[in-house]
């Protein structure tokens, strides 16, 4: 009993001491004078846990096998850095989206896609010469963007050409050609080989990011109708690669200058 009283007394004194310590500490003013840090390297070896590594290895091997499955052959390297108004990889991507997207759109809506317009920045890797794999498609299109079709009036097509001229970037384009005049305006606009009709409604394939006004493509926001094909651009590429043996390299000129 005596020991318990002594313990309780000691405990009360300790609590009082802590309380006074924190009160005193909180009443002081402190100023930050220096921040120090050091780099802690994390290597692949250091981060591995044998049990976890053994567990995930079969899944990783299975995924890598699928990704490295050869789908087609590319006769030359295609990239987005060569070309003022167009690039071979950009034209190819637009051609692919127009072709594969039209198969879905025509089946569902009984209509044809007239043209395809994508963004230069959406191409994230080259298409190297040699074997083309599923991994290639993931590297070119790592995002989850989907293919959509927008119904645009002829006036919005004119806004599209104005955008292309103003941006001075080789945005992927298929199904349409035009000439940039000395006045920096579009002329001789042809869609599917026919002159632009400003009173007509055209069906334009693009990705869902641009369809929502991405990259300041505000003309897409004026669409009179929108069709979501529920078809990821990456899968569009993969399906196309599976369909062909050797990938064709587009050589036609779609935008010219006077």
């Amino acid at each position: 009993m005596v020991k318990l009283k002594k313990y309780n007394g000691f405990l009360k004194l300790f609590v009082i001491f802590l309380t006074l310590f924190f009160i005193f500490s909180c009443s002081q003013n402190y100023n930050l004078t220096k921040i120090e840090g050091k780099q802690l390297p994390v290597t692949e070896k250091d981060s591995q846990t044998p049990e976890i590594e053994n567990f995930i290895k079969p899944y990783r091997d299975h995924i890598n096998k699928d990704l490295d499955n050869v789908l087609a052959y590319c006769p030359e390297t295609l990239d987005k850095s060569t070309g003022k108004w167009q690039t071979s990889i950009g034209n190819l991507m637009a051609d692919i989206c127009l072709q594969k997207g039209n198969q879905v759109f025509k089946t569902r809506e009984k209509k044809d896609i007239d043209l395809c317009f994508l963004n230069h920045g959406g191409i994230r890797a080259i298409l190297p010469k040699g074997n083309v794999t599923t991994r290639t498609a993931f590297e070119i299109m790592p995002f989850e963007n989907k293919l959509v079709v927008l119904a645009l009036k002829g006036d919005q097509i004119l806004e599209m050409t104005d955008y292309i001229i103003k941006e001075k970037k080789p945005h992927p384009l298929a199904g349409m050609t035009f000439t940039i005049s000395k006045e920096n305006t579009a002329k001789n606009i042809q869609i599917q080989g026919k002159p632009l009709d400003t009173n007509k409604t055209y069906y334009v394939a693009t990705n869902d990011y641009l369809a929502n006004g991405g990259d300041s493509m505000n003309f897409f926001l004026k669409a009179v109708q929108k069709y979501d094909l529920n078809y990821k651009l990456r899968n569009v590429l993969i399906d196309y690669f599976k369909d062909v043996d050797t990938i064709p390299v587009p050589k036609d000129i779609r935008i010219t200058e006077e």
Side-chain angles (χ1 to χ4, degrees):
M1 187 68 175
V2 175
K3 289 184 179 180
L4 182 59
K5 287 182 178 180
K6 287 183 178 180
Y7 175 78
N8 288 336
F10 173 77
L11 183 60
K12 289 179 181 179
L13 288 173
F14 183 69
V15 171
I16 292 172
F17 169 77
L18 287 179
T19 303
L20 291 174
F21 174 77
F22 283 117
I23 291 174
F24 176 77
S25 299
C26 293
S27 65
Q28 304 301 308
N29 293 322
Y30 295 97
N31 295 315
L32 181 65
T33 59
K34 184 170 63 173
I35 298 177
E36 293 183 341
K38 64 178 180 178
Q39 186 176 13
L40 298 176
V42 178
T43 65
E44 184 178 350
K45 183 178 179 180
D46 292 336
S47 63
Q48 287 182 356
T49 301
E51 293 78 7
I52 297 177
E53 177 63 22
N54 292 334
F55 178 77
I56 66 175
K57 186 179 185 302
Y59 300 97
R60 181 193 291 118
D61 292 344
H62 179 73
I63 291 173
N64 284 332
K65 183 178 179 181
D66 287 343
L67 289 175
D68 293 330
N69 182 37
V70 177
L71 306 178
Y73 177 81
C74 189
E76 63 183 79
T77 297
L78 309 183
D79 64 66
K80 69 174 188 177
S81 63
T82 55
K84 181 179 180 180
W85 297 107
Q86 59 188 18
T87 64
S88 54
I89 190 171
N91 283 359
L92 176 66
M93 285 192 64
D95 286 345
I96 292 172
C97 289
L98 180 58
Q99 176 186 324
K100 301 300 292 184
N102 198 48
Q103 293 174 1
V104 178
F105 190 63
K106 193 169 186 177
T107 300
R108 292 183 185 178
E109 306 296 333
K110 311 303 179 186
K111 299 172 184 177
D112 289 309
I113 298 175
D114 295 295
L115 63 108
C116 176
F117 184 57
L118 303 170
N119 58 326
H120 177 71
I123 305 172
R124 308 304 290 188
I126 66 171
L127 180 56
K129 178 181 178 179
N131 290 334
V132 177
T133 65
T134 303
R135 190 186 299 277
T136 308
F138 272 83
E139 291 171 346
I140 295 173
M141 186 55 58
F143 312 115
E144 297 300 305
N145 294 119
K146 295 184 295 184
L147 194 64
V148 300
V149 177
L150 301 175
L152 297 180
K153 295 294 186 181
D155 288 339
Q156 277 68 67
I157 302 298
L158 289 174
E159 291 183 44
M160 182 189 300
T161 59
D162 290 341
Y163 176 90
I164 294 172
I165 296 171
K166 180 181 177 181
E167 285 287 302
K168 292 183 171 61
K169 292 180 181 179
H171 294 296
L173 179 68
M176 181 171 76
T177 61
F178 65 92
T179 299
I180 301 173
S181 70
K182 295 179 181 179
E183 292 76 28
N184 240 25
T185 59
K187 58 185 292 187
N188 300 328
I189 302 173
Q190 300 272 323
I191 298 178
Q192 293 297 328
K194 298 179 180 180
L196 172 69
D197 182 352
T198 54
N199 296 314
K200 183 179 177 180
T201 297
Y202 292 94
Y203 296 99
V204 182
T206 189
N207 65 55
D208 53 347
Y209 167 71
L210 301 178
N212 292 322
D215 282 7
S216 299
M217 294 191 186
N218 297 322
F219 48 87
F220 279 143
L221 298 176
K222 301 176 183 179
V224 296
Q225 200 162 1
K226 179 180 179 180
Y227 306 86
D228 188 348
L229 300 188
N230 195 28
Y231 199 178
K232 291 182 180 180
L233 265 68
R234 182 192 309 119
N235 292 338
V236 172
L237 293 179
I238 292 172
D239 289 345
Y240 177 82
F241 293 155
K242 289 178 179 178
D243 288 344
V244 298
D245 178 71
T246 301
I247 295 173
V249 179
K251 300 291 185 180
D252 58 311
I253 305 301
R254 302 175 188 188
I255 301 176
T256 57
E257 293 181 273
E258 283 189 333

